Amino acid sequence: MADVTLRDVARASGCSVATVSRVLAGTRPVGADTARRVRAAAASLGYRPNHAARALRNRATGTVGLVLPQITNPFYPALVRELTHALHAEGRAVLLADCDDDPVAEAERIEDLLGRRVDALLVIPADERRSRDAVAAAAARVPLVLLDRRCGPGVADSVAVDNAAGMALVLEHLAATGRRRPCFVGAHGTASAAAERRAAYAAGSGALDAAAPERTALGDFSVAWGRAAVDALWEARPDAVVCANDLIAIGVLQRLQELGADVPGEVAVTGFDDIPMAGLAAPGITTVRQPVAELAAEATRLLAHRLGADGAGPQRALRLAPDLVVRGSSAAPHVRA
Amino acid sequence: MADVTLRDVARASGCSVATVSRVLAGTRPVGADTARRVRAAAASLGYRPNHAARALRNRATGTVGLVLPQITNPFYPALVRELTHALHAEGRAVLLADCDDDPVAEAERIEDLLGRRVDALLVIPADERRSRDAVAAAAARVPLVLLDRRCGPGVADSVAVDNAAGMALVLEHLAATGRRRPCFVGAHGTASAAAERRAAYAAGSGALDAAAPERTALGDFSVAWGRAAVDALWEARPDAVVCANDLIAIGVLQRLQELGADVPGEVAVTGFDDIPMAGLAAPGITTVRQPVAELAAEATRLLAHRLGADGAGPQRALRLAPDLVVRGSSAAPHVRA
DNA sequence: CTGAAAGCGCTAACAG
DNA sequence: CTGTTAGCGCTTTCAG
């Protein structure tokens, strides 16, 4: 089943390859009658354009690379879904690269994608600092948008959730439902999710209780750390545990329940991201829902802009406001009592 | 920053493009001295081969398409991770397509990938029946391996977990820990996960209790169904609820706990797949762990074989045996009593 | 409006 | 061992 080429279609429709190309690409006006003949011939032969040839000629592959730290991070599948859908809708294909949280592997994957002539790159950097060089080098060669995380200022366009706004929503909600002794279980590091959420808690929790900003424990973004943090913080008897992400919150909730604490009667627990597990815990975990579809839409819009004719312009850093999803883990204490 | 081509390297190293090509591709013997000069020139100019040109010439893009129903299905991220790693290790790139569980979208994505001249396709079909035509058509054009699910006999090579073996492990474990009144919460449909697990329960549970095969409720693979099923089955007071996947098991566990049942003291709960949430439930859910890394390795091996020189041979259907992961949800009753 | 022809960057005969 | 040459399939001047 030899592939059908433009020449075959040209022969079958009795005109030149140039004409066929013009008809099929709609590049230039073509006689209505010729056009019909060409289309008929193409259809009957089952012609399919060869993207490789097109890419060579046009210097554009219609492909974007999506580089992410770990597809198994439960927050990413939803993002990947929205991104691929948005890009497919524009006729682009997505080359996926998982880096296993390793900046070295990340640099290799980015190199490979550039070699494959992706038109643009969407990157969720693995590490705030160690991803920087590879990302900056790539951004010098193709349009690049940073997603979810950044890697230092001035590297590339970026789109992410407004972590401060999200944390503020949590604190407001806790205040409104009568909590007065919050504590925070966060993560070390300078990545935006860690640093910004930490800072927002520090800035906002003082309104509930002057000592609240100090009731903070830092570890990593894991269930195990959430469990461990409870053992450090519970003796201070907080009435709310604000967690930097949902995995931590799941660990916190589990450990509190093991210790016999009443959630939410005695203590509320909140997360961040709204991964699927957050809704499945019992009670469901109140959390900050990232606007995943919008993040994806904005990222692709930014890319499309950079790929367009007037793609110049200053670097952009976009922050999208999240929503609060209230579930059982933070139900007002008196409702339950 | 004009791209550096073979010609530039040839000029810089004082030899022909053919020679440069041979050095860089290692296709044919080349003088050691020339080779060194070429490599030096390539490095200093920052030469990067143009994959599009190569693809056009070689009629191979070094790319495989990965088509899956829903990346947000919690079992797939781990599989995608292993697949991309395995393929990257062979120097291939992965074009990802998410179909949103829609066979029509799936057919479109497959068409697009074929147009982009993927060398091969890895497909997790969305629907046993309605995916069949598109998959069969694609399989006629490029090597194609079906993963996790099949879509009718004789369509293409396939790799999947041995569902019957997994279910047998569960039943053996329940028998060994003294359970005698199991019931089954499964899913309708003819997809392998649904049908084979259902059949294996029907075949194996009779050994525990002659009436066991009849204590079966069928819905879909969701948490909501798991919850609903409990309301239908609990009055029969089974001492074990065997679920067709982990999502169902999570729903079952939640609902049982809400009804005040003691898990595992009074009733055991088991799942299938070992998605991350299974380990995070409280108690952890005993489940059948799919050999994800091996599934990915076998699938890529099969593809590599088909892409190789001697890629002919009969169609292959490979079944991999899973492991049982015992967690708290099925701890022996007397241990707890 | 249409055709002829020149490549995009690379590889593989085919000669030397 | 190395250079010359002819395309892979497509788009795009440039003529007509």
Side-chain angles (χ1 to χ4, degrees), chain A residues 14-30:
Chain A
C15 57
S16 74
V17 289
T19 305
V20 176
S21 169
R22 295 196 266 252
V23 172
L24 268 26
T27 324
R28 281 163 163 289
V30 171

Side-chain angles (χ1 to χ4, degrees), chain B residues 209-302:
Chain B
D209 167 13
E214 279 151 39
R215 284 193 296 275
T216 291
L218 300 181
D220 58 25
F221 285 119
S222 71
V223 175
W225 162 237
R227 300 177 60 91
V230 169
D231 292 322
L233 285 165
W234 185 227
E235 67 179 352
R237 285 299 180 276
D239 63 1
V241 184
V242 176
C243 303
N245 82 350
D246 289 337
L247 290 175
I248 296 176
I250 288 168
V252 165
L253 175 62
Q254 283 184 357
R255 187 71 187 131
L256 284 172
Q257 289 176 329
E258 284 172 17
L259 294 175
D262 171 17
V263 178
E266 193 175 358
V267 55
V269 175
T270 68
F272 204 114
D273 288 345
D274 196 26
I275 63 177
M277 296 177 211
L280 296 177
I285 295 174
T286 291
T287 189
V288 177
R289 174 175 294 158
Q290 295 221 31
V292 177
E294 290 78 7
L295 287 168
E298 289 301 336
T300 54
R301 188 167 309 155
L302 220 40

Side-chain angles (χ1 to χ4, degrees), chain A residues 213-238:
Chain A
E214 277 152 41
R215 284 193 296 274
T216 290
L218 301 181
D220 58 26
F221 285 119
S222 72
V223 175
W225 162 238
R227 300 178 59 91
V230 168
D231 291 322
L233 286 165
W234 186 227
E235 66 178 354
R237 285 299 181 275

Side-chain angles (χ1 to χ4, degrees), chain A residues 48 81 91 100 111 254 280, chain B residues 48 81 100 111 254 280:
Chain A
R48 304 156 168 297
R81 175 181 181 280
D100 229 354
E111 260 312 300
Q254 283 184 356
L280 295 177
Chain B
R48 305 155 167 300
R81 174 181 182 281
D100 228 354
E111 259 314 300
Q254 283 184 357
L280 296 177

Side-chain angles (χ1 to χ4, degrees), chain A residues 135-157:
Chain A
V135 169
R141 316 228 294 124
V142 296
L144 186 154
V145 174
L146 254 18
L147 207 56
D148 185 48
R149 309 179 182 176
R150 308 186 60 180
C151 54
V155 174
D157 290 331

Side-chain angles (χ1 to χ4, degrees), chain B residues 48-110:
Chain B
R48 305 155 167 300
N50 183 324
H51 276 249
R54 236 184 245 210
L56 180 56
R57 192 50 236 226
N58 294 344
R59 310 171 150 285
T61 54
T63 293
V64 327
L66 174 54
V67 181
L68 71 181
Q70 277 265 45
I71 182 72
T72 49
N73 176 325
F75 170 57
Y76 293 139
L79 194 54
V80 169
R81 174 181 182 281
E82 298 299 332
L83 286 169
T84 57
H85 290 188
L87 290 164
H88 288 157
E90 295 180 348
R92 301 186 202 285
V94 177
L95 278 170
L96 181 76
D98 177 295
C99 306
D100 228 354
D101 266 332
D102 173 9
V104 176
E106 182 179 58
E108 286 169 7
R109 307 278 77 238
I110 288 177

